[in-house]
Amino acid sequence: MKKGADLFFNKTENHLAGLPTSRRWRKIQGANLDFCCEEAVMKFCGIDLYSNNSVVVVTDETDRVLVSRRCPNELAQILPLLEPHHGELLGVVVESTYNWYWLVDGLKAAGFEVKLANPVAMQRYNGLKHSDDKDDAAFLAHLLRLGILPTGYNTKNGNAYLIWAFIEAANFARRFSEGAKRFFEKKKAKTNTVVATKALAHKLARASYHILKEK
């Protein structure tokens, strides 16, 4: 009998149309029928983003790691890793840290479905997280596969790129300003790194506003 469920009962509609598929074939038996149909395959990607490099991980439905690579923060390095899996990727998860904008914009421009993970909301799943950097990227893909990935970042109170600029400024300020460092460490002791960074960014934004207002 010919391969393809679409040949059975002389039907031509493809019920897997639009779904990512592999080149594998799965044999299905039952009710005196013996035919083959193409098996849909889903893949998931997590990118652990740092200031000058990223860890890119692609997994399948069983959390098997298919790709694991640390590379510079350059789209020319990251996109070729994902392109062979483009048609099968359910999504690419990027954690909403201070330097995500260039990566998300680049991935979207290349046609990838991008999920922006909320790092504060993700803390409830820390028990699933490993200490290794690659596991952090795989952890993002794992949450996407499970359908429990907390997404989004609230930018309704301002321009997203302006928020990014002040978050960047906060990260530099806590490294080079003793006053900013003390403020950051005090907030971090009561909350966490993400919240403390946002608090410092907010403080810098207010200071900038008053400087501009007085001019």
Side-chain angles (χ1 to χ4, degrees):
M1 191 172 188
K2 293 182 179 181
K3 289 182 178 180
D6 57 332
L7 297 179
F8 192 66
F9 296 130
N10 295 319
K11 291 184 178 180
T12 58
E13 64 265 29
N14 181 7
H15 297 288
L16 294 177
L19 291 176
T21 57
S22 72
R23 297 183 180 276
R24 296 175 294 162
W25 291 86
R26 180 179 55 179
K27 195 171 185 180
I28 299 179
Q29 295 178 328
N32 297 321
L33 301 176
D34 187 350
F35 61 94
C36 296
C37 69
E38 201 170 13
E39 183 182 60
V41 173
M42 292 289 184
K43 295 178 182 177
F44 311 86
C45 176
I47 300 181
D48 199 5
L49 181 62
Y50 292 89
S51 60
N52 60 4
N53 66 86
S54 297
V55 176
V56 180
V57 168
V58 176
T59 62
D60 63 12
E61 302 109 314
T62 64
D63 290 329
R64 181 169 62 98
V65 175
L66 307 174
V67 175
S68 181
R69 182 81 58 83
R70 183 183 292 274
C71 54
N73 280 347
E74 299 174 8
L75 286 171
Q77 298 287 330
I78 295 173
L79 292 179
L81 294 177
L82 303 181
E83 195 56 44
H85 310 279
H86 198 156
E88 299 170 328
L89 279 172
L90 184 66
V92 179
V93 183
V94 178
E95 193 170 355
S96 180
T97 52
Y98 66 93
N99 61 336
W100 58 264
Y101 293 89
W102 67 272
L103 179 57
V104 169
D105 288 348
L107 290 169
K108 287 184 175 180
F112 290 95
E113 179 70 23
V114 182
K115 309 289 185 180
L116 191 61
N118 187 323
V120 176
M122 283 172 54
Q123 290 180 10
R124 74 187 75 169
Y125 302 116
N126 277 349
L128 303 175
K129 199 172 185 179
H130 300 282
S131 60
D132 187 271
D133 287 341
K134 295 179 181 179
D135 285 336
D136 285 347
F139 168 70
L140 295 173
H142 179 61
L143 293 183
L144 178 62
R145 182 184 71 78
L146 293 177
I148 58 174
L149 179 74
T151 59
Y153 221 118
N154 186 0
T155 59
K156 65 181 180 181
N157 295 322
N159 180 280
Y161 289 91
L162 190 59
I163 292 172
W164 167 79
F166 279 109
I167 292 291
E168 284 270 67
N171 278 281
F172 279 100
R174 67 186 176 90
R175 289 165 56 193
F176 300 109
S177 167
E178 287 301 321
K181 184 177 181 180
R182 285 193 299 270
F183 176 85
F184 172 81
E185 293 297 338
K186 184 178 179 180
K187 286 288 183 181
K188 181 182 176 182
K190 297 179 179 179
T191 55
N192 55 63
T193 300
V194 174
V195 173
T197 302
K198 289 178 66 178
L200 180 55
H202 179 69
K203 195 174 185 68
L204 292 175
R206 287 178 60 84
S208 299
Y209 168 78
H210 287 293
I211 291 173
L212 293 172
K213 185 179 179 182
E214 291 172 3
K215 282 190 175 181

